[in-house]
Amino acid sequence: TDDPHRRTLCGSQIKWYIRYLHQGMTQEVALAKAKEPGPATSGDRAPANKRSSSALTPPTDTPKRVRAA
C-alpha cells in the first residue's frame, strides 16, 4: 500500500483509484480515471431549495394596507 500515486490524490479520488485498481485497470489508467471530474448530473442530488436568499422580496417604501374595521 505504498503506492506513490495515492499521495497525489484527495480522499474521493483515492476511493475511485482503488476501485478502478480492483476492477483490473493498470495504475496509470486508474490514476487518469480517478483524476477525471465526476459526472455533473443533478439527478443524484436533492433539488435546490426554492426559497433561497436571492428569491426574497426586497423591502418596499409603500406601507401595508390598513384593515377596515
Side-chain angles (χ1 to χ4, degrees), residues 15-32:
K15 176 192 75 168
W16 283 105
Y17 175 69
I18 293 171
R19 184 177 292 177
Y20 293 139
L21 289 178
H22 283 291
Q23 291 177 1
M25 297 182 188
T26 64
Q27 287 184 348
E28 290 76 23
V29 174
L31 180 66

Side-chain angles (χ1 to χ4, degrees), residues 33-68:
K33 284 189 65 88
K35 286 187 175 182
E36 289 177 2
T41 59
S42 60
D44 296 343
R45 292 186 219 119
N49 188 358
K50 290 185 180 179
R51 187 174 176 125
S52 64
S53 62
S54 64
L56 296 177
T57 307
T60 60
D61 291 334
T62 57
K64 294 183 179 179
R65 282 189 262 160
V66 180
R67 290 169 69 181

